[in-house]
Amino acid sequence: MHNEAGDTSAATMLQPGQTIRPQLSQQTAIVLIESLFGLHVKTIKELNSYDDRNYFISVDNNYDNPHIADLWSHGYVFKVMNSMDSFKKHVDAESAIQRELHKAGFSCPQPVLNVRGEDDPHSQSSLHVVRLLIYQPGSLICEIAYTPDIMHQVGRYVGAVDRTLRDFSHPALTCHRSLWSLESVPSLTQFLYAVTDKSLQQLAEDVINTFTRDIIPNLDQFQRGVIHGDFNEQNIIVKQRPSATPGEDQQYDMCAVIDFGGSANSYYVFEVAITIMYMMVESSVIDPMKVGGHILAGYLSEQPLTDVEFDLLKVCVAGRYAQSLVMGAYTYTLDKGNEYLLVTAKNGWPQLRRLWNMSQTELYDQWRQTIQTYNL
């Protein structure tokens, strides 16, 4: 959903007014695909994206790439990365993480070798890095009803990913940070002007100030490791479970995760907070304030959280709301035709206000009661 990566220096962090999204036509994308990967495009459709351009393509059975043994029948995603990420080595870490998870049995996009037999996208474009990834079939989780079962599955899946990557490291992650890293919440103040409603601007500012006061000084008490960093409703793939009985309500299983642009060496409590926030935004079957209990029940079955982490989780969830809402409003000022940037805003602002006004005791009591039902 977002990818403006960089290290902690100002030169590599997104600055107000800076435009980084690629500008290209579908025809240009087709030419790049054919020249770099030797595939002949039959159909092409642009997908939702924040700062990059992503295209779903189907290809002809005839191709000119000796490094592709068999075509992937489900199609491919052609990704043109934003100009900021294109100068970072983070994409190398993304590919390494995807390979590591693939070895462990997780379904996630795998990079396709170019006609030169390389998977190093830095050699392919001087301005925008391009990648070709196998497409993950299924439905986006935002296309189905959020039941307690699927929320529990999401939490368990996120925990399993974090546990699998516990001993993983990559040099590109050492200094990597972006405005979408949760520890960057204090930097949101320079983008608050994009929120034109003064009451909402004040709400976001209150969250940012509390996060700066309560979370930043406690970072050294949090468990750290490599995280996906963006388990949102556009990055989780589900598949329908075969119905045992005719007329039975459809059930789904989580089957894949995509978009590793937010991956980082960060904090597990941030991974949980990010997941809870995005699952709350689209929840209608479950009261959004109760979603966290199902996510936590699944996550804690794979990975522990300390008492300190649990105690600060509400502020972390609110911090991600503020981050998504403020940056969505800001980016929309630069790209007013991209309605995807406002996906979170409709439900997000009312939910953030409700979350922020709810006592921590009430919220955590709800979460703990839900967690307990899975432990019976």
Side-chain angles (χ1 to χ4, degrees), residues 90 97 173 176-177 181 183 225-229 260 262-267:
H90 182 266
I97 291 170
L173 298 177
H176 170 73
R177 200 170 108 189
S181 302
E183 50 263 64
V226 174
I227 66 172
H228 177 275
F260 286 75
S263 56
N265 189 320
S266 187
Y267 304 96

Side-chain angles (χ1 to χ4, degrees), residues 140-308:
L140 294 175
I141 196 170
C142 59
E143 297 171 354
I144 69 168
Y146 288 11
T147 62
D149 175 64
I150 198 66
M151 291 295 94
H152 183 260
Q153 285 188 51
V154 168
R156 190 171 69 242
Y157 197 100
V158 175
V161 166
D162 287 353
R163 177 174 49 78
T164 300
L165 295 175
R166 183 174 282 277
D167 297 322
F168 176 86
S169 63
H170 193 282
L173 298 177
T174 304
C175 298
H176 170 73
R177 200 170 108 189
S178 84
L179 274 171
W180 283 99
S181 302
L182 208 55
E183 50 263 64
S184 295
V185 163
S187 300
L188 292 175
T189 53
Q190 61 186 317
F191 299 95
L192 275 173
Y193 70 89
V195 181
T196 55
D197 184 308
K198 295 304 179 183
S199 67
L200 298 181
Q201 188 181 100
Q202 185 60 56
L203 173 61
E205 187 173 4
D206 289 346
V207 173
I208 294 166
N209 290 339
T210 303
F211 189 99
T212 303
R213 184 193 69 210
D214 294 351
I215 303 301
I216 300 301
N218 285 299
L219 290 179
D220 61 352
Q221 298 189 56
F222 294 164
Q223 301 173 87
R224 189 173 190 128
V226 174
I227 66 172
H228 177 275
D230 196 18
F231 270 93
N232 70 60
E233 75 285 352
Q234 302 281 335
N235 290 340
I236 297 172
I237 309 297
V238 298
K239 63 181 179 181
Q240 187 175 338
R241 192 183 300 168
S243 297
T245 306
E248 184 182 12
D249 289 342
Q250 292 180 348
Q251 300 292 319
Y252 291 84
D253 293 311
M254 182 171 174
C255 62
V257 61
I258 61 175
D259 193 353
F260 286 75
S263 56
N265 189 320
S266 187
Y267 304 96
Y268 295 127
V269 66
F270 287 177
E271 182 92 290
V272 178
I274 289 166
T275 306
I276 290 175
M277 175 261 157
Y278 283 120
M279 295 303 98
M280 287 174 66
V281 166
E282 297 293 328
S283 180
S284 58
V285 175
I286 308 170
D287 180 346
M289 299 303 122
K290 296 182 179 181
V291 165
H294 301 282
I295 300 292
L296 282 164
Y299 189 88
L300 294 174
S301 70
E302 298 284 346
Q303 277 267 109
L305 290 177
T306 67
D307 290 342
V308 171

